[in-house]
Amino acid sequence: MKLLEYQGKEIFAKYGVPVPQGRVAFTPDEAAEIAAEIGKTVVVKAQVHAGGRGKAGGIKLAKTPDEAREMASQIIGMEIKGLRVERVLVEEAADIKEEYYLGITTDRAARRNIVMVSKEGGIEIEIVAEENPAAIAKLHLDPAIGLQDFQIRQLGFESNLPPVALKGLGTFLKALYKVYLDYDCSLAEINPLVLTGDGRLIAADSKIVLDDNALFRHPDLAAFQEEQEDDPIEAEAHKRGLTYVRLDGDIGIIGNGAGLVMTTLDVVKREGGSPANFLDIGGGAKADVVTKAIDTVLLDKNVKGIFFNIFGGITRGDEVAKGMLEAIATMDIKVPIVVRLTGTRAAEGLKLLEGSTLVGAATMQEGAQKIVALVNGA
Ligand code: GDP
Ligand code: MN
């Protein structure tokens, strides 16, 4: 789960990281109100899960509350990288002298967390890494020892930060690392970390990505979680308790088991098809689960056919077939459905499907070929 800038800044503030004074606004009037409260030049920032907002016109300065209202009305409703802006952060504008980068992420190859500091902030770190990799000071952390003062000095030295910035660096890095650990992050980033004209450091942006598998440990983030679903179908699927990921193709994929579903995506692709989603219904395939799964896949109007891939182990093929038939009997389905059954009592299951609108298949490849042919109209 990704947090929006203002949500990340709320966490930073709790951990003593200096952030500009401000709040989120959903309407231009609210933006004007906040600007009036702050009583200084503010910056109005689009809150979407995308970087490069400045370049896209999603970050604007406003000297007065009226200007803030005007900027907010321009920004709310605009699209940045395909995402609609629904809210803006209105905060005290920073007097930017220099922009730096701080980030912590998990380096899977090294099996360690890595801290990165760069003098080249304000632009995406991926670009710095490509064009000027030497400008990023990096350090792997030993989880048992954490982040030590000498390491902070080393990072500051290697990144060539000016002495005035070095003073505050430790506070930021320690707090960022604490946030990273406490919230089970996979990324915690401040870009830019701003050095102001009067020599203070403030976090002008935040980017936090949390490990979804650890979300249950953070009930305080539940509210953010509900808000963060960008895709309405994914949001609905998760409400229904399904493991669903939307993709951009036209063949709906349903299977039992994450590994099987991933393989199904690959095989469909190899046969020339384009998967519309990932949906794992887990063990069993009772009629109600099948109904829910098909209904969810069909929420995506791009779907022109469905491939149901069931590997029967404990799940019996004839039970699956019965569930499928029961499900489609109650639904108005206009797209072809191919069902691949294998494993326990698969032959009996396929027999049950004969004469129905469901197309049976004995192997995954055969099923993939059939659905691709049906969808592509061959
Ligand atoms: P991102 O590009 O989407 O990550 O958005 P950022 O929050 O990092 O802002 C992008 C750029 O906008 C920053 O690097 C700054 O140059 C500029 N910016 C952001 N906040 C302020 C501000 O308060 N004052 C000024 N003058 N510029 C800002
Ligand atoms: Mn940024």
Side-chain angles (χ1 to χ4, degrees):
M1 164 172 140
K2 290 182 200 164
L3 298 186
L4 290 168
E5 175 189 6
Y6 80 94
Q7 297 167 336
K9 281 180 169 170
E10 279 176 24
I11 293 179
F12 283 167
K14 261 189 237 161
Y15 281 72
V17 173
V19 292
Q21 182 204 346
R23 273 193 294 122
V24 69
F26 291 82
T27 64
D29 282 341
E30 263 182 90
E33 230 171 81
I34 299 168
E37 265 169 46
I38 294 171
K40 294 179 201 156
T41 299
V42 295
V43 58
V44 181
K45 305 180 77 177
Q47 297 298 290
V48 284
H49 293 297
R53 291 167 296 162
K55 264 186 254 159
I59 299 179
K60 295 213 157 86
L61 290 171
K63 291 207 190 72
T64 64
D66 280 342
E67 261 181 54
R69 181 185 293 109
E70 171 57 26
M71 296 309 167
S73 73
Q74 285 175 23
I75 295 172
I76 294 172
M78 74 185 287
E79 277 201 4
I80 298 180
K81 296 184 180 161
L83 302 168
R84 219 184 107 84
V85 181
E86 312 255 333
R87 58 193 106 176
V88 290
L89 172 62
V90 182
E91 61 177 20
E92 184 182 345
D95 164 25
I96 300 181
K97 187 164 173 229
E98 290 189 38
E99 302 189 31
Y100 311 128
Y101 171 94
L102 297 187
I104 303 178
T105 189
T106 305
D107 180 349
R108 287 168 188 273
R111 300 191 209 93
R112 294 254 162 130
N113 293 323
I114 183 169
V115 186
M116 291 170 286
V117 178
S118 179
K119 207 166 172 294
E120 308 290 319
I123 42 174
E124 275 172 54
I125 196 68
E126 290 80 4
I127 296 172
V128 181
E130 206 162 285
E131 290 173 0
N132 191 8
I136 307 173
K138 297 177 183 171
L139 188 78
H140 288 101
L141 296 179
D142 182 326
I145 297 171
L147 182 62
Q148 300 293 310
D149 286 330
F150 79 90
Q151 295 175 314
I152 292 167
R153 285 193 292 275
Q154 193 182 323
L155 283 163
F157 176 73
E158 282 175 16
S159 54
N160 277 316
L161 292 186
V164 58
L166 289 179
K167 264 193 305 181
L169 183 66
T171 316
F172 276 83
L173 281 178
K174 281 182 186 166
L176 194 64
Y177 187 51
K178 191 149 179 16
V179 168
Y180 189 89
L181 294 180
D182 285 1
Y183 281 91
D184 298 301
C185 298
S186 55
L187 177 73
E189 208 177 72
I190 301 176
N191 186 23
L193 170 69
V194 160
L195 176 67
T196 62
D198 56 3
R200 288 174 303 122
L201 287 176
I202 49 166
D205 191 11
S206 90
K207 186 168 170 186
I208 293 181
V209 183
L210 304 148
D211 178 350
D212 287 349
N213 293 313
L215 277 182
F216 73 96
R217 307 210 296 191
H218 309 289
D220 54 319
L221 298 180
F224 291 164
Q225 188 181 10
E226 277 171 26
E227 293 170 6
Q228 70 105 32
E229 307 266 14
D230 292 325
D231 187 297
I233 301 180
E234 287 189 356
E236 179 58 29
H238 296 163
K239 238 184 259 161
R240 296 176 181 185
L242 295 171
T243 310
Y244 171 96
V245 179
R246 192 171 180 187
L247 304 170
D248 53 15
D250 54 11
I251 298 177
I253 309 286
I254 304 171
N256 61 337
L260 180 70
V261 178
M262 284 195 276
T263 310
T264 312
L265 300 178
D266 288 346
V267 172
V268 165
K269 195 105 193 163
R270 199 170 59 197
E271 294 302 332
S274 179
N277 68 275
F278 169 105
L279 202 172
D280 170 18
I281 57 168
K286 293 241 159 56
D288 59 329
V289 179
V290 174
T291 310
K292 200 159 68 167
I294 294 176
D295 188 61
T296 303
V297 165
L298 289 176
L299 290 175
D300 181 349
K301 297 301 163 212
N302 297 328
V303 170
K304 299 203 194 81
I306 298 176
F307 182 20
F308 224 96
N309 191 2
I310 299 295
F311 187 90
I314 298 168
T315 312
R316 283 169 40 173
D318 51 349
E319 291 288 327
V320 174
K322 273 186 213 151
M324 296 284 311
L325 291 169
E326 227 179 291
I328 61 160
T330 62
M331 302 176 82
D332 176 27
I333 299 169
K334 299 195 170 63
V335 301
I337 302 183
V338 172
V339 185
R340 177 256 185 156
L341 285 176
T342 192
T344 315
R345 297 177 72 87
E348 288 85 342
L350 288 171
K351 194 136 193 96
L352 284 172
L353 297 183
E354 278 170 21
S356 78
T357 53
L358 300 171
V359 180
T363 68
M364 171 149 40
Q365 191 164 359
E366 183 193 327
Q369 283 162 353
K370 282 185 171 166
I371 194 64
V372 170
L374 285 163
V375 166
N376 292 352

